[in-house]
Amino acid sequence: MQKDESHQSLLHLRPWDDESISHYLGRWYRQEVVSTDSHSLGKGLRLGKILWRWENFYFNPPPTSQELQKLDTFTGLGIERLLLLFPPEHEPIKPRPVRICAACYTEAPYHRMSWQYQSTEGCEHHRLRLLPKCPEPKCGEPFPLPSQLTVLQCKKCGMPYKTMAKKQKPY
């Protein structure tokens, strides 16, 4: 096994179905063997602020094959699998607010890319409206970027996502 192959196998992190690139990058950065951030990795891969843009849901212009190839050298996912972390080209998204289905997030804690589509009104699985912020009336804290989602509760008031799910309205 060559040095590059060993390095790549340690860093491999399998994405979940419909996981957003922002959430995936956050999980990837938090691996013990990685310990970096979008700025440092972007500089090392000669991508500049591209990774920061993707974490913030700014996809105009869409990722190029060269950019994806550079990211693939570290993730080892392959270009086709990396593309599944991004919205389809024909699907406009809302970068803000970050929206979640607290019921889904409680069951499987990761941010779905489809939650940011402009065409998405709610969670198809639970038939609930997506939350743009903590539903606690005295709180209302917007959700952080998916790359920074690490706990199953509001970072300001501490309301668990399981409780938030009970406050989601049907659609």
Side-chain angles (χ1 to χ4, degrees):
M1 183 182 291
Q2 293 181 347
K3 184 179 178 182
D4 289 343
E5 290 173 352
S6 172
H7 182 69
Q8 184 175 356
S9 65
L10 287 173
L11 300 177
H12 183 76
L13 182 66
R14 185 176 166 201
W16 292 309
D17 291 340
D18 193 31
E19 184 173 14
S20 69
I21 185 67
S22 180
H23 193 270
Y24 178 79
L25 288 171
R27 287 193 312 123
W28 197 81
Y29 297 145
R30 287 188 293 276
Q31 293 181 98
E32 287 183 35
V33 294
V34 175
S35 67
T36 190
D37 58 23
S38 61
H39 176 73
S40 301
L41 184 60
K43 187 176 178 182
L45 293 175
R46 297 185 180 185
L47 286 171
K49 294 185 178 187
I50 297 291
L51 297 178
W52 177 88
R53 288 181 51 242
W54 294 346
E55 279 184 69
N56 285 274
F57 297 120
Y58 300 132
F59 304 120
N60 190 7
T64 67
S65 58
Q66 293 87 2
E67 292 164 346
L68 292 170
Q69 184 63 47
K70 287 179 181 181
L71 185 56
D72 180 47
T73 61
F74 276 83
T75 64
L77 293 177
I79 304 297
E80 288 180 21
R81 185 59 186 101
L82 279 171
L83 281 170
L84 295 176
L85 297 168
F86 293 88
E89 277 191 49
H90 67 279
E91 186 70 60
I93 66 156
K94 290 181 173 184
R96 298 288 181 279
V98 170
R99 302 184 303 169
I100 69 165
C101 172
C104 282
Y105 208 90
T106 299
E107 293 170 1
Y110 68 94
H111 183 268
R112 280 61 158 183
M113 188 68 240
S114 58
W115 292 341
Q116 296 305 126
Y117 297 170
Q118 285 182 8
S119 62
T120 301
E121 293 183 36
C123 171
E124 292 297 322
H125 179 68
H126 294 101
R127 304 299 298 167
L128 296 170
R129 292 196 181 278
L130 297 175
L131 296 171
K133 60 185 178 182
C134 176
E136 171 58 45
K138 294 179 181 176
C139 180
E141 178 76 7
F143 294 111
L145 289 172
S147 62
Q148 299 166 2
L149 284 170
T150 57
V151 293
L152 296 174
Q153 64 186 33
C154 174
K155 67 179 185 175
K156 183 176 178 184
C157 73
M159 177 186 279
Y161 282 15
K162 189 173 186 175
T163 305
M164 288 184 197
K166 295 174 187 172
K167 295 180 180 265
Q168 283 180 263
K169 298 184 185 331
Y171 89 102

